[in-house]
Amino acid sequence: MNNTRVRGAAVYWPPAGLLGQVDEADRAILLGLGHRVVYPAGQITIREADTSDFALLLLGGTVKVTAHAQDGREALLAVRMAGDLVGELAGIDGQPRIGTVTACGRVLARYILRSELLECTNQHPAIGRALSASVVAKLRTATGRIVDFTGCDVLGRLARILHHLAVTYGRPGRNEAQLPLSQPEMATLVGAAESSIHKALRALRESGAVVTGYRRITILDLDHLARIAVAAGPAGSPAISPNT
């Protein structure tokens, strides 16, 4: 999966993201909000507990959303890619940030102030509904992840997370995808030690489901990955169908 925007090429916006949920006219309105910003790899764009209230509409690249647990460990909450709006909760309610957003590689975005975002959703109800649907989808995913992981081993959790990200951001009809994730990031996303992730990745590579490289994992067969996720999950409650 490559979410880099190529000049002159047709732009694909994943349907799970805000830009993929609106029609062309409303998409043009969203793309006209705020101003263009570019962040280098490793740049923190939003900081946990900060009182800023802007949102970022991602146009290219990938960010990770992290937060600190009570014991001081960093938890990877989500991975967001082009088409997604990040920081929208503070952009809606004006409350302090619940997570830190960091650029994973070069990121292109629109920097949108809370006042402009609220005015846009008030004037364009379809955009407001799409924003609400996007927030609800993220909450459903977070809830499903908790349920999905119950009684599931590291291999199953990793396979399910990778499958979810690939289906969410990949192009329909393709049985392969590429995700810009390092092994430490996969470990925090899954909630496992890096040594356990190494073993799970080795099993996925040996099965022919994936290949790994520097800060990336390429899924060669989504259907096969889904079957592994089901087989490794808790008995009687598969959350992923091989036909997803």
Side-chain angles (χ1 to χ4, degrees), residues 22-36:
V22 296
D23 62 24
E24 187 173 349
D26 285 335
R27 189 177 301 124
I29 292 170
L30 286 168
L31 291 172
L33 296 179
H35 63 273
R36 182 180 183 270

Side-chain angles (χ1 to χ4, degrees), residues 189-211:
L189 188 59
V190 169
E194 282 190 48
S195 58
S196 298
I197 290 296
H198 294 161
K199 293 178 182 177
L201 283 173
R202 183 168 62 247
L204 291 178
R205 286 194 299 266
E206 291 175 351
S207 75
V210 307
V211 293

Side-chain angles (χ1 to χ4, degrees), residues 2-62:
N2 186 348
N3 67 339
T4 302
R5 302 298 173 223
V6 180
R7 184 175 297 177
V11 178
Y12 170 73
W13 301 111
L18 179 60
L19 289 179
Q21 293 187 21
V22 296
D23 62 24
E24 187 173 349
D26 285 335
R27 189 177 301 124
I29 292 170
L30 286 168
L31 291 172
L33 296 179
H35 63 273
R36 182 180 183 270
V37 290
V38 179
Y39 298 105
Q43 175 72 49
I44 293 177
T45 66
I46 293 173
R47 195 176 296 273
E48 184 179 0
D50 192 68
T51 55
S52 61
D53 60 6
F54 65 90
L56 293 174
L57 182 60
L58 303 181
L59 305 181
T62 303

Side-chain angles (χ1 to χ4, degrees), residues 46-130:
I46 293 173
R47 195 176 296 273
E48 184 179 0
D50 192 68
T51 55
S52 61
D53 60 6
F54 65 90
L56 293 174
L57 182 60
L58 303 181
L59 305 181
T62 303
V63 301
K64 62 179 179 179
V65 185
T66 59
H68 285 92
Q70 289 185 347
D71 60 5
R73 289 183 298 174
E74 185 180 69
L76 182 58
L77 303 180
V79 175
R80 303 291 182 219
M81 299 186 188
D84 277 328
L85 187 68
V86 296
E88 70 270 39
L89 295 185
I92 293 172
D93 64 16
Q95 296 299 305
R97 305 290 190 178
I98 61 174
T100 294
V101 179
T102 306
C104 302
R106 183 177 181 272
V107 168
L108 172 65
R110 302 292 298 183
Y111 183 107
I112 305 171
L113 294 175
R114 177 172 183 256
S115 57
E116 192 173 7
L117 179 63
L118 293 179
E119 181 180 3
C120 175
T121 56
N122 286 334
Q123 292 184 355
H124 305 280
I127 293 179
R129 290 192 296 270

Side-chain angles (χ1 to χ4, degrees), residues 211-242:
V211 293
T212 55
Y214 176 68
R215 290 193 60 82
R216 73 177 185 277
I217 178 167
T218 301
I219 300 169
L220 301 176
D221 190 334
L222 270 171
D223 292 340
H224 183 40
L225 184 64
R227 289 190 290 270
I228 292 173
V230 171
S237 57
I240 298 177
S241 165

